[in-house]
Amino acid sequence: MDKDKENLIQEIVQGMESWSPADILYFGPLRRAVSLYGPVTRETVFPLISQILELEHREPGKPIRLHINTEGGSLSDALALYDALRGVSGPIVTVATGMCASAGLLLLSAGDLRLATENTLFFYHEPILPLEEIISKKQLNETVKAYDLCKNSYEKIIKERTGMSDELWLREFDGETSKYFDVKTAIEYNLIDDSIEAAEKVLK
């Protein structure tokens, strides 16, 4: 790992105050950290985008940290948050914890430094589009086009951000409908740069 990423890890380990839609007073902006705990939806993403843009406005160029614990959700909302994260001038640190699934992998890849706590579970599946309202062959054909667009956008971002080769993607991810893996494997895939290990306890 290069020196810049090591320095970012040290800054995180020293402790930063967080900020979440559910508890602004507790999390707060002083430590420049926001949290996504739950599904990726318009309701969960909008406050995060607002907070990220506000943090960038207050102190442009300084790091912003996003903690992620999600089972996934809306790809379009994940793309909106991804673009917001990539649109600020300072480095983004993404920290996966608990579960990082589906659209969560896209958000994780937005980080200039990507970390995970040691017991994080990761989950990948190909994008899913709702089919309940399809009532014609033309609509089905357009849905197939939309599916391909979503799938290609998702894969392109993750492969570019992780440096994953087409060969590795085809072997490990292409066509998978349910793929779980752990932190060690996420490092091997270069989905994360490093893990955050449990701290040593000082007993008095």
Side-chain angles (χ1 to χ4, degrees), residues 6 10 13 26 41 44 52 64 77 83 90-91 95-96 98 109 112 118 120 132 135 137 149 152 157 195:
E6 288 182 2
Q10 289 303 314
V13 169
Y26 177 79
T41 66
T44 59
I52 288 163
I64 296 173
D77 293 318
D83 286 344
V95 183
S109 72
D112 300 293
E118 61 181 346
T120 303
E132 294 85 357
I135 59 174
K137 181 178 179 180
L149 178 61
N152 292 337
I157 289 172
S195 63

Side-chain angles (χ1 to χ4, degrees), residues 85-105:
L85 291 164
R86 297 307 307 158
V88 299
S89 59
I92 295 296
V93 179
T94 49
V95 183
T97 186
M99 170 67 77
C100 185
S102 187
L105 295 176

